[in-house]
Amino acid sequence: MITIVSGAVNCGKSSWMKHDFLLHGNSEGFICEKVFEINDHIGYDLLHPITKESIPFIRKPSHCPQNWVEIERIADLYSFSSQGFAFAERVVQTALKRPEIVRFYLDEIGFLELEDRGFASQLHDLLLARVDLVIAVRDFLLDKVVTK
């Protein structure tokens, strides 16, 4: 089963997923959490809800730390770190080796995945594993994601 959590920017998709994760045993995944500097939204970190481990994942280009290794970019809006994608890959591959995992949360599928980049390979692996998926998708991309 695939559950798609869809809505506009800032409508609470990630917050809902984080809450729902805690209600289901035998789950794995990662959640994107907003990062602020004072009152300025500067990007997102990936959170592993079980261990509470968090890693910088997406930053506005003007807010990338010195040790940032960019692997993807969406225009001049967002820079994606290689460490964030490696973290996500590790979470997915660890989950796939654990037969008791029946539900996986992937936050989120967007522009990169529509171009077979970003989390596209992780999504493919999870679909083949036949675990229940809970995926966040922005409302304006929903039709494209479902079609792909």
Side-chain angles (χ1 to χ4, degrees):
M1 178 174 65
I2 300 172
T3 302
I4 296 177
V5 181
S6 183
V9 176
N10 296 323
C11 75
K13 296 180 297 296
S14 297
S15 296
W16 182 89
M17 289 177 74
K18 187 176 178 182
H19 174 76
D20 192 66
F21 185 99
L22 299 174
L23 300 177
H24 292 88
N26 296 331
S27 294
E28 259 296 355
F30 47 86
I31 309 293
C32 282
E33 291 198 310
K34 290 180 185 169
V35 176
F36 292 89
E37 197 171 84
I38 305 176
N39 290 326
D40 187 25
H41 175 239
I42 64 166
Y44 299 87
D45 288 352
L46 281 183
L47 169 71
H48 184 247
I50 296 171
T51 64
K52 307 293 188 233
E53 183 181 1
S54 181
I55 189 162
F57 179 48
I58 304 169
R59 290 295 183 269
K60 292 181 178 177
S62 60
H63 288 77
C64 295
Q66 285 185 334
N67 62 345
W68 191 260
V69 179
E70 181 178 289
I71 195 168
E72 293 281 0
R73 184 179 279 238
I74 295 179
D76 283 330
L77 300 174
Y78 291 109
S79 171
F80 294 75
S81 80
S82 62
Q83 295 92 338
F85 280 113
F87 175 83
E89 175 68 9
R90 190 172 71 248
V91 171
V92 169
Q93 293 308 317
T94 299
L96 292 175
K97 292 175 186 169
R98 296 179 53 209
E100 73 274 15
I101 298 301
V102 295
R103 190 173 178 96
F104 195 95
Y105 291 76
L106 197 163
D107 186 11
E108 76 182 58
I109 297 299
F111 290 112
L112 293 178
E113 292 73 21
L114 289 170
E115 297 176 352
D116 293 323
R117 296 165 37 214
F119 296 135
S121 67
Q122 288 84 7
L123 177 59
H124 181 261
D125 291 348
L126 290 162
L127 289 168
L128 291 176
R130 299 184 181 196
V131 297
D132 288 345
L133 290 174
V134 181
I135 303 170
V137 178
R138 293 189 179 184
D139 55 355
F140 61 90
L141 293 175
L142 181 60
D143 290 338
K144 290 180 181 179
V145 169
V146 170
T147 302
K148 187 156 176 88

